[in-house]
Amino acid sequence: MSEQHQDMTLRLRAIEPEDLDFLYRIENDQRLWRVGVTNVPYSKYTLTNYIVGNANDIYVDRQVRLIMENGEGRVIGMLDLTNFSPRHLRAEIGIVVVEPERNKGYGRQAIERAIAYSREMLHLHQLYAVVDTENPSSLHLFQTAGFQEAGILKQWLFGDHKYHDAVLMQFFL
């Protein structure tokens, strides 16, 4: 990866009504369902209600969804902090970078910013990710961001008509 890609501008921001079409494409991309909890398509009506009703406060919603923009202001992905536990001060991190923008350093930058935000603003103790063992790019992304393998979750994810093992990855803040 070139130095230029590592220094690319990335902005994480709150979700806006203008993001509806992007959110609709991501949430209804069946290739992503295997690594999440979705198994039905979302309507634009449902997603509009989500955007409007979302407080974007991790203590209220138990999650924070952030839109990733590149230096040109183009939406290139999304980063989520979900399954927030105020008692245990941890949250699950998930990230989606759109196909043409993958392997340019945006994912790593987004995770590094999420780590800083989680440490400095949310005062979390840890972030964790559940990564399909058959997704080497995602495993590499989290490893290079400093996440450590904590264990294998056997037959944790279902997709492509079979169960897949997942790696539980942790980052202690």
Side-chain angles (χ1 to χ4, degrees):
M1 180 180 316
S2 73
E3 188 92 20
Q4 178 185 2
H5 286 304
Q6 291 177 352
D7 294 333
M8 295 175 96
T9 302
L10 174 76
R11 179 175 170 230
L12 294 177
R13 63 165 176 80
I15 196 165
E16 298 286 351
E18 295 79 18
D19 299 316
L20 177 62
D21 288 336
F22 175 78
L23 188 61
Y24 182 78
R25 281 193 317 274
I26 295 295
E27 292 293 353
N28 290 300
D29 185 342
Q30 292 183 19
R31 295 171 296 175
L32 301 174
W33 290 2
R34 178 169 127 188
V35 296
V37 294
T38 301
N39 63 1
V40 296
Y42 283 99
S43 69
K44 286 189 176 183
Y45 176 78
T46 299
L47 293 172
T48 298
N49 286 338
Y50 166 77
I51 293 169
V52 171
N54 183 25
N56 212 37
D57 179 338
I58 200 165
Y59 285 93
V60 174
D61 301 323
R62 295 294 190 250
Q63 68 175 6
V64 173
R65 172 163 279 177
L66 300 168
I67 297 296
M68 298 166 55
E69 285 184 350
N70 68 8
E72 300 162 356
R74 194 171 65 250
V75 175
I76 60 162
M78 191 166 49
L79 183 135
D80 293 327
L81 297 176
T82 60
N83 297 321
F84 169 64
S85 170
R87 176 177 170 78
H88 302 292
L89 295 174
R90 67 176 174 242
E92 182 175 357
I93 185 170
I95 187 168
V96 174
V97 178
V98 295
E99 293 259 354
E101 303 300 334
R102 292 181 184 164
N103 300 309
K104 295 183 178 179
Y106 290 122
R108 172 104 182 253
Q109 283 184 52
I111 290 172
E112 288 171 353
R113 291 188 185 178
I115 287 169
Y117 174 70
S118 297
R119 178 186 292 126
E120 297 162 15
M121 300 302 293
L122 301 176
H123 309 289
L124 296 184
H125 173 64
Q126 71 174 289
L127 292 174
Y128 68 94
V130 176
V131 183
D132 190 327
T133 58
E134 295 181 22
N135 187 343
S137 295
S138 189
L139 286 168
H140 179 73
L141 172 63
F142 282 101
Q143 288 167 343
T144 60
F147 281 69
Q148 300 293 314
E149 183 177 320
I152 300 292
L153 302 168
K154 296 291 187 183
Q155 300 182 20
W156 196 256
L157 303 170
F158 186 80
D160 303 327
H161 308 291
K162 64 180 182 174
Y163 285 94
H164 299 257
D165 293 348
V167 179
L168 175 62
M169 313 232 14
Q170 291 177 292
F171 187 97
F172 292 95
L173 304 161

